[in-house]
PDB file of all heavy atoms in Angstrom:
ATOM      1  N   SER A 311      99.406 -41.092  62.342  1.00 98.00           N
ATOM      2  CA  SER A 311      99.468 -40.600  60.963  1.00 98.00           C
ATOM      3  C   SER A 311      98.684 -41.508  60.022  1.00 98.00           C
ATOM      4  O   SER A 311      97.885 -41.038  59.198  1.00 98.00           O
ATOM      5  CB  SER A 311     100.921 -40.499  60.518  1.00 98.00           C
ATOM      6  OG  SER A 311     101.015 -40.127  59.160  1.00 98.00           O
ATOM      7  N   LYS A 312      98.876 -42.808  60.160  1.00 98.00           N
ATOM      8  CA  LYS A 312      98.169 -43.761  59.305  1.00 98.00           C
ATOM      9  C   LYS A 312      96.664 -43.670  59.526  1.00 98.00           C
ATOM     10  O   LYS A 312      95.868 -43.675  58.568  1.00 98.00           O
ATOM     11  CB  LYS A 312      98.663 -45.183  59.606  1.00 98.00           C
ATOM     12  CG  LYS A 312      98.000 -46.257  58.759  1.00 98.00           C
ATOM     13  CD  LYS A 312      98.551 -47.644  59.105  1.00 98.00           C
ATOM     14  CE  LYS A 312      97.869 -48.732  58.287  1.00 98.00           C
ATOM     15  NZ  LYS A 312      98.402 -50.087  58.643  1.00 98.00           N
ATOM     16  N   GLY A 313      96.261 -43.576  60.793  1.00 98.00           N
ATOM     17  CA  GLY A 313      94.839 -43.506  61.093  1.00 98.00           C
ATOM     18  C   GLY A 313      94.191 -42.222  60.595  1.00 98.00           C
ATOM     19  O   GLY A 313      93.052 -42.248  60.101  1.00 98.00           O
ATOM     20  N   LEU A 314      94.896 -41.106  60.707  1.00 98.00           N
ATOM     21  CA  LEU A 314      94.353 -39.840  60.214  1.00 98.00           C
ATOM     22  C   LEU A 314      94.245 -39.846  58.696  1.00 98.00           C
ATOM     23  O   LEU A 314      93.272 -39.318  58.131  1.00 98.00           O
ATOM     24  CB  LEU A 314      95.226 -38.674  60.687  1.00 98.00           C
ATOM     25  CG  LEU A 314      95.204 -38.388  62.192  1.00 98.00           C
ATOM     26  CD1 LEU A 314      96.174 -37.262  62.537  1.00 98.00           C
ATOM     27  CD2 LEU A 314      93.795 -38.047  62.679  1.00 98.00           C
ATOM     28  N   ASN A 315      95.225 -40.438  58.035  1.00 98.00           N
ATOM     29  CA  ASN A 315      95.143 -40.547  56.580  1.00 98.00           C
ATOM     30  C   ASN A 315      93.958 -41.413  56.155  1.00 98.00           C
ATOM     31  O   ASN A 315      93.290 -41.121  55.153  1.00 98.00           O
ATOM     32  CB  ASN A 315      96.451 -41.110  56.017  1.00 98.00           C
ATOM     33  CG  ASN A 315      97.461 -40.028  55.707  1.00 98.00           C
ATOM     34  OD1 ASN A 315      97.127 -39.014  55.096  1.00 98.00           O
ATOM     35  ND2 ASN A 315      98.702 -40.229  56.135  1.00 98.00           N
ATOM     36  N   ALA A 316      93.698 -42.478  56.912  1.00 98.00           N
ATOM     37  CA  ALA A 316      92.552 -43.332  56.593  1.00 98.00           C
ATOM     38  C   ALA A 316      91.240 -42.562  56.757  1.00 98.00           C
ATOM     39  O   ALA A 316      90.331 -42.679  55.922  1.00 98.00           O
ATOM     40  CB  ALA A 316      92.563 -44.565  57.499  1.00 98.00           C
ATOM     41  N   LEU A 317      91.138 -41.765  57.825  1.00 98.00           N
ATOM     42  CA  LEU A 317      89.952 -40.941  58.009  1.00 98.00           C
ATOM     43  C   LEU A 317      89.814 -39.916  56.890  1.00 98.00           C
ATOM     44  O   LEU A 317      88.718 -39.658  56.385  1.00 98.00           O
ATOM     45  CB  LEU A 317      90.007 -40.225  59.358  1.00 98.00           C
ATOM     46  CG  LEU A 317      89.708 -41.059  60.601  1.00 98.00           C
ATOM     47  CD1 LEU A 317      89.924 -40.217  61.853  1.00 98.00           C
ATOM     48  CD2 LEU A 317      88.283 -41.602  60.565  1.00 98.00           C
ATOM     49  N   SER A 318      90.940 -39.339  56.499  1.00 98.00           N
ATOM     50  CA  SER A 318      90.930 -38.354  55.414  1.00 98.00           C
ATOM     51  C   SER A 318      90.411 -38.978  54.120  1.00 98.00           C
ATOM     52  O   SER A 318      89.582 -38.387  53.420  1.00 98.00           O
ATOM     53  CB  SER A 318      92.333 -37.787  55.203  1.00 98.00           C
ATOM     54  OG  SER A 318      92.366 -36.897  54.112  1.00 98.00           O
ATOM     55  N   ASP A 319      90.887 -40.177  53.828  1.00 98.00           N
ATOM     56  CA  ASP A 319      90.435 -40.866  52.615  1.00 98.00           C
ATOM     57  C   ASP A 319      88.937 -41.191  52.695  1.00 98.00           C
ATOM     58  O   ASP A 319      88.200 -41.026  51.712  1.00 98.00           O
ATOM     59  CB  ASP A 319      91.229 -42.155  52.414  1.00 98.00           C
ATOM     60  CG  ASP A 319      92.686 -41.890  52.050  1.00 98.00           C
ATOM     61  OD1 ASP A 319      92.999 -40.756  51.632  1.00 98.00           O
ATOM     62  OD2 ASP A 319      93.515 -42.813  52.192  1.00 98.00           O
TER      63      ASP A 319
END
Side-chain angles (χ1 to χ4, degrees):
S311 175
K312 181 180 179 181
L314 292 177
N315 271 314
L317 284 175
S318 176
D319 291 342

